Amino acid sequence: MSSRRARALVCVGYLLGAGGCESPASKASHGRSEAVASASQEMSGPSLFSKERLGPALAALRAKASGKLLRLEIRAREVTMQAEDPSSPGAVVELHYQGGKVSEPEHAQLRGKGQLVDNLFDIADVKLDAIAEVTRQAVARIDPEAGSVDYVLV
């Protein structure tokens, strides 16, 4: 039997104090076969899941967008942040951090019901120090021998 490499989606809503997270129904029904990554997707180098790498990445992102956050997606090699545009309340910009560089802000299209203000959070409310441990625990529970975390969504 070949070595299996599992990907785990770790919803860190409880890092904000919530009990869980929502996922689209189409993704929630995926089985283990869709969660297994191929060996060609092997990660190399330091991961952005570590506090030492994540801190500078977030600081670089925050230098370009200082508003409250709508979404923070952390992958091993990229961080995507959606934040309220301080110069245009009610508008959201999206930025990407990859390879030590931050993209220019792009207008993000908002979808869904509700008010933007009700869905924004302050990055200071997120226990970023816990991300490394949460990802380690996810791997231990999913596939301790060859597992890896795909991304963390806040």
Side-chain angles (χ1 to χ4, degrees), residues 33 90 110 118 136 140:
S33 62
L110 300 178
D118 295 333
R136 187 196 65 72

mmCIF file of all heavy atoms in Angstrom, residues 33 90 110 118 136 140:
data_model
loop_
_atom_site.group_PDB
_atom_site.id
_atom_site.type_symbol
_atom_site.label_atom_id
_atom_site.label_comp_id
_atom_site.label_asym_id
_atom_site.label_seq_id
_atom_site.Cartn_x
_atom_site.Cartn_y
_atom_site.Cartn_z
ATOM 1 N N SER A 33 -11.452 10.162 0.323
ATOM 2 C CA SER A 33 -10.700 10.082 -0.925
ATOM 3 C C SER A 33 -10.365 11.466 -1.472
ATOM 4 O O SER A 33 -9.302 11.676 -2.030
ATOM 5 C CB SER A 33 -11.457 9.273 -1.978
ATOM 6 O OG SER A 33 -12.678 9.901 -2.288
ATOM 7 N N GLY A 90 -17.765 49.724 4.227
ATOM 8 C CA GLY A 90 -18.719 48.870 3.527
ATOM 9 C C GLY A 90 -18.097 48.126 2.362
ATOM 10 O O GLY A 90 -18.701 47.221 1.809
ATOM 11 N N LEU A 110 -18.714 40.935 -2.312
ATOM 12 C CA LEU A 110 -19.409 40.404 -1.142
ATOM 13 C C LEU A 110 -20.661 39.677 -1.571
ATOM 14 O O LEU A 110 -21.381 40.121 -2.456
ATOM 15 C CB LEU A 110 -19.764 41.533 -0.173
ATOM 16 C CG LEU A 110 -18.581 42.314 0.371
ATOM 17 C CD1 LEU A 110 -19.071 43.431 1.272
ATOM 18 C CD2 LEU A 110 -17.633 41.402 1.117
ATOM 19 N N ASP A 118 -21.439 43.049 10.924
ATOM 20 C CA ASP A 118 -21.719 41.924 11.825
ATOM 21 C C ASP A 118 -20.774 40.745 11.603
ATOM 22 O O ASP A 118 -20.746 39.816 12.406
ATOM 23 C CB ASP A 118 -23.165 41.439 11.645
ATOM 24 C CG ASP A 118 -24.185 42.481 12.050
ATOM 25 O OD1 ASP A 118 -23.858 43.333 12.904
ATOM 26 O OD2 ASP A 118 -25.306 42.457 11.494
ATOM 27 N N ARG A 136 -0.972 20.993 14.321
ATOM 28 C CA ARG A 136 -0.287 19.770 14.758
ATOM 29 C C ARG A 136 -1.309 18.736 15.230
ATOM 30 O O ARG A 136 -1.236 17.555 14.875
ATOM 31 C CB ARG A 136 0.710 20.079 15.885
ATOM 32 C CG ARG A 136 1.573 18.872 16.262
ATOM 33 C CD ARG A 136 2.265 19.055 17.598
ATOM 34 N NE ARG A 136 1.342 19.126 18.717
ATOM 35 C CZ ARG A 136 0.649 18.092 19.210
ATOM 36 N NH1 ARG A 136 0.758 16.901 18.673
ATOM 37 N NH2 ARG A 136 -0.168 18.244 20.242
ATOM 38 N N ALA A 140 -2.271 14.954 13.748
ATOM 39 C CA ALA A 140 -2.235 13.789 14.645
ATOM 40 C C ALA A 140 -3.553 13.018 14.609
ATOM 41 O O ALA A 140 -3.555 11.791 14.682
ATOM 42 C CB ALA A 140 -1.922 14.237 16.070
#
